[in-house]
Amino acid sequence: CAAIMSRYDIEVVPHLICGGSTKEEIESRLDNLEFLGINNILALRGDCMTGEKRFSPTPGGYRYASELVEGIRSYQGSAGYKRKRGMAEDRFFCIGVGAYPEKHFECANIETDIENLKRKVDAGADYIITQMFFDNKVYYDFTEKCRAAGITIPIIPGLKPLSTARQISLLPESFSIDIPVELTSEITKVSTDRNAVYQIGTEWCA
């Protein structure tokens, strides 16, 4: 991330996940990010380990993304660095969190999922990035429900162009999302032409 920022002068957003690290190890990573001048983070619980059906936290680590957000938010950092970057003394990192317009597959319903998202926001998240979606109405409905639940921070839509015909079956299986029949129909017609598939995927995304 630091190399990309230095070479191309663009903002980067490294991901921090709960799985696989203790709280002390995550704080050490925060030290490294501060040293490298990176202060934008996406805080995620992370997926299950291979072979697991449910997420198991690392002993001495965080169980939920809301706890990870709290841990990042409590990070003090260097006062001198904060002054140099014009940052508030009580907020070293800008923290993003994930959300699921079609609900997380482990959650019983969208309402409960939004309650969980609100916990991450209340813990100190600055913005939300959604899982990919292919139907705008899903995003608009989700945003409306979030606002009704008292979530006021920015909700950034997660966008991805389909690039191969195989993704029609792969993405729903991997991410528990729907792909509209209009899109699947158009891609199926040209499934053997990779360039045509990517063109349709790009136009739909735009």
Side-chain angles (χ1 to χ4, degrees), residues 7-200:
R7 182 176 180 88
Y8 300 106
D9 190 30
I10 61 173
E11 188 66 27
V12 296
V13 187
H15 297 186
L16 277 184
I17 62 173
C18 297
S21 300
T22 64
K23 296 177 182 179
E24 290 75 17
E25 288 169 335
I26 287 176
E27 183 165 355
S28 178
R29 288 182 186 144
L30 296 176
D31 288 335
N32 290 336
L33 291 172
E34 176 189 356
F35 177 78
L36 294 168
I38 298 170
N39 68 308
N40 199 1
I41 293 175
L42 189 63
L44 306 168
R45 187 200 69 176
D47 296 325
C48 301
M49 300 293 287
T50 302
E52 289 184 339
K53 292 185 177 181
R54 302 285 291 186
F55 176 80
S56 297
T58 299
Y62 296 108
R63 184 177 183 85
Y64 301 109
S66 58
E67 296 175 350
L68 176 58
V69 171
E70 287 179 354
I72 298 170
R73 182 57 68 218
S74 66
Y75 179 79
Q76 295 300 309
S78 163
Y81 181 90
K82 291 179 183 179
R83 286 193 295 271
K84 183 178 179 181
R85 296 282 295 239
M87 298 164 62
E89 286 297 311
D90 63 337
R91 295 178 85 82
F92 182 81
F93 287 107
C94 178
I95 305 172
V97 293
Y100 303 85
E102 297 172 73
K103 90 171 183 62
H104 193 278
F105 73 95
E106 293 178 9
C107 211
N109 52 69
I110 188 66
E111 288 76 16
T112 302
D113 207 18
I114 290 176
E115 288 177 10
N116 293 335
L117 176 60
K118 182 69 161 51
R119 291 188 181 94
K120 293 188 278 188
V121 174
D122 292 343
D126 295 294
Y127 64 95
I128 296 163
I129 297 179
T130 77
Q131 177 63 277
M132 72 183 85
F133 59 88
F134 295 91
D135 182 347
N136 287 349
K137 188 176 185 302
V138 169
Y139 170 76
Y140 295 137
D141 288 348
F142 175 73
T143 300
E144 184 176 331
K145 289 177 180 177
C146 286
R147 299 308 184 214
I151 296 173
T152 60
I153 62 175
I155 302 175
I156 302 169
L159 303 178
K160 171 183 170 57
L162 290 178
S163 55
T164 67
R166 186 165 176 263
Q167 289 177 336
I168 291 176
S169 58
L170 185 63
L171 293 180
E173 179 183 341
S174 300
F175 299 101
S176 298
I177 58 175
D178 289 335
I179 299 180
V181 65
E182 296 87 352
L183 177 57
T184 59
S185 177
E186 289 301 309
I187 286 182
T188 300
K189 292 176 185 177
V190 296
S191 59
T192 58
D193 186 340
R194 184 164 186 148
N195 289 333
V197 169
Y198 188 73
Q199 180 66 27
I200 291 171

